[in-house]
Amino acid sequence: MTIQYHTYPSFQNEIGKLLAIREYPQIPCTPNNVEPQLIALNEQQQLWKINLISGTAQRLAQLNLPDFNLSHPIQLVISPCARFAAVCHRLGRHAVVMNLESGDIVLELSRGEYHYDKSAYPLAFIQRDDQVLLIHGTDWNRLELISLVPGVHLLSERTIPGIDSETHSHDAHYLDYFHGQLHVSPDGKHVAETGWVWAPIGVTVAWSIDDWLHNVWESEDGESLDSIWQPLIDWDVPMVWLNHERLAIWAQVDADMLDEEDWNIEGTSPAILIYNVNQRTRQEVLLDVPAFSTNFGVADVFSYPQAQLAVSSSGTLFAWGQGLPIYSWNLVDRQVQIHDCPAVPDLYHTQADLFLKINDGTITVWRCI
């Protein structure tokens, strides 16, 4: 496998410096009609739609995110229908949801004050036929499910459980777990995440969205809620859905929190776990995987994994991160290859099978072939 570089035109000058990019979903998408397009956020809190081939750009919306800080990492989430975007600081307290067609603010969100800066803001869109749903955090241990289309209304209304201040006993459905970054399956039927619990350790979980629509407590203690992998050294670890039911997770078990006789095949070394959410079983573990850095490099930003996973249209699994080359696995024969690259990618464009890195006024683009 070799690296093939691509040269695209520079962007319009008025876009300015980009802070975050995400793939613009192209529907329908076939190998013959893919045009690599992006949604990008710049320093002026403007959302732009960029066509990489032509270099043209369209301004979509102007944000006014509370506590906006240029030095803090941004989380930009796009709905599968490309109609909505959610923007927040990855470790921030506030978020906004925008209608990309009208440029209007749909929702202004907050997830409370308690340790909000220790894990990624839980935000994810779900596409279900003509429905568009949003998952978002409203407190450290609480998620809500909201309908955006056909109309905006809450689907998970319930009374917040608490702890008795005198007896320290928990109410029913109380969840002692800090939610983190969310990953929705391509068919919109499952959501996975790694949050954390006190020690602290990471805990990877997944649950059914179908069940959640029938049980408002599903994300707390529903029957479909599945603990996949723990105790982990980190949380908000890299994840990617390989298809509708198989999930890849890159993490490392915390040796100090688990007796050696309880170790699995990966022991306490970095590994990539491939998990089937429908069967609720481990399907495979990829070994000889590098450890990733958690140093963002800004003093007032809590550490988090500086690494990503992605899967190509042909089923190749990619892993990369700060200070690492790009690792790739053919998931048929499980052979691994290592590729030097010009920079640490900011994004893998799954529809066009391209790696992208933000530069001033341009984006470096390459493909592993």
Side-chain angles (χ1 to χ4, degrees):
M1 188 175 288
T2 60
I3 290 181
Q4 180 184 76
Y5 295 94
H6 296 261
T7 302
Y8 293 124
S10 298
F11 308 140
Q12 300 169 2
N13 291 333
E14 63 266 30
I15 294 180
K17 184 175 181 180
L18 300 182
L19 301 178
I21 55 174
R22 285 295 176 265
E23 183 173 336
Y24 181 85
Q26 194 170 337
I27 304 170
C29 177
T30 67
N32 295 324
N33 78 345
V34 173
E35 277 195 350
Q37 298 183 82
L38 306 172
I39 297 291
L41 180 74
N42 68 7
E43 287 187 327
Q44 288 72 45
Q45 299 191 58
Q46 298 167 342
L47 286 171
W48 290 78
K49 179 182 176 182
I50 298 173
N51 186 308
L52 286 177
I53 292 177
S54 65
T56 57
Q58 175 190 0
R59 179 175 158 177
L60 301 176
Q62 175 68 58
L63 284 67
N64 185 18
L65 185 65
D67 304 326
F68 185 69
N69 188 325
L70 289 173
S71 67
H72 286 201
I74 293 290
Q75 182 176 205
L76 172 59
V77 184
I78 310 299
S79 67
C81 61
R83 184 172 172 182
F84 300 97
V87 182
C88 64
H89 284 299
R90 179 187 174 106
L91 304 175
R93 181 181 172 189
H94 304 283
V96 293
V97 180
M98 309 294 298
N99 185 318
L100 296 178
E101 295 175 347
S102 66
D104 296 334
I105 295 175
V106 179
L107 294 168
E108 296 178 295
L109 307 172
S110 174
R111 61 164 166 169
E113 299 181 354
Y114 189 57
H115 290 302
Y116 67 83
D117 59 344
K118 301 300 187 295
S119 59
Y121 201 124
L123 282 172
F125 292 100
I126 305 164
Q127 185 80 40
R128 299 173 63 87
D129 298 324
D130 295 330
Q131 270 191 313
V132 181
L133 310 179
L134 173 71
I135 309 172
H136 71 96
T138 55
D139 208 344
W140 62 278
N141 62 347
R142 182 180 173 91
L143 297 177
E144 300 292 5
L145 185 61
I146 291 181
S147 169
L148 298 180
V149 175
V152 177
H153 59 276
L154 182 63
L155 300 173
S156 56
E157 186 172 358
R158 61 212 188 278
T159 301
I160 301 175
I163 300 179
D164 188 291
S165 59
E166 294 183 358
T167 65
H168 301 288
S169 60
H170 295 171
D171 291 348
H173 304 300
Y174 179 83
L175 181 64
D176 192 11
Y177 170 86
F178 292 80
H179 286 289
Q181 191 170 35
L182 303 174
H183 302 262
V184 174
S185 62
D187 60 2
K189 291 188 175 181
H190 289 89
V191 61
E193 67 170 343
T194 44
W196 63 283
V197 297
W198 283 108
I201 58 169
V203 177
T204 307
V205 297
W207 66 95
S208 163
I209 294 168
D210 285 335
D211 289 3
W212 199 6
L213 288 167
H214 293 93
N215 171 27
V216 295
W217 300 106
E218 196 66 27
S219 65
E220 277 88 6
D221 56 11
E223 290 186 4
S224 73
L225 185 64
D226 191 10
S227 179
I228 298 173
W229 199 9
Q230 64 167 309
L232 304 177
I233 292 176
D234 304 294
W235 50 94
D236 293 331
V237 298
M239 290 189 192
V240 68
W241 288 92
L242 303 177
N243 55 28
H244 296 319
E245 62 181 4
R246 296 170 69 231
L247 177 69
I249 308 166
W250 182 5
Q252 183 175 353
V253 168
D254 190 335
D256 294 333
M257 301 298 295
L258 197 66
D259 293 333
E260 187 171 353
E261 58 265 26
D262 296 323
W263 292 359
N264 287 298
I265 186 174
E266 71 275 11
T268 57
S269 300
I272 294 177
L273 171 66
I274 297 177
Y275 191 82
N276 188 301
V277 293
N278 287 335
Q279 299 175 5
R280 301 180 77 147
T281 58
R282 290 172 162 230
Q283 287 198 327
E284 188 160 3
V285 177
L286 302 179
L287 304 174
D288 298 322
V289 174
F292 49 71
S293 170
T294 59
N295 180 23
F296 180 68
V298 176
D300 60 345
V301 173
F302 192 77
S303 61
Y304 68 91
Q306 303 298 301
Q308 297 186 57
L309 288 176
V311 63
S312 75
S313 60
S314 62
T316 298
L317 177 65
F318 294 106
W320 71 91
Q322 184 185 101
L324 298 174
I326 296 175
Y327 286 70
S328 68
W329 287 266
N330 180 326
L331 293 181
V332 175
D333 60 18
R334 304 314 189 240
Q335 294 299 307
V336 62
Q337 295 190 45
I338 302 174
H339 320 271
D340 292 326
C341 54
V344 179
D346 291 310
L347 178 69
Y348 185 79
H349 195 296
T350 57
Q351 292 179 328
D353 285 328
L354 295 172
F355 289 97
L356 299 98
K357 175 68 178 179
I358 297 173
N359 301 308
D360 289 335
T362 62
I363 291 181
T364 301
V365 180
W366 67 97
R367 177 183 283 123
C368 291
I369 59 173

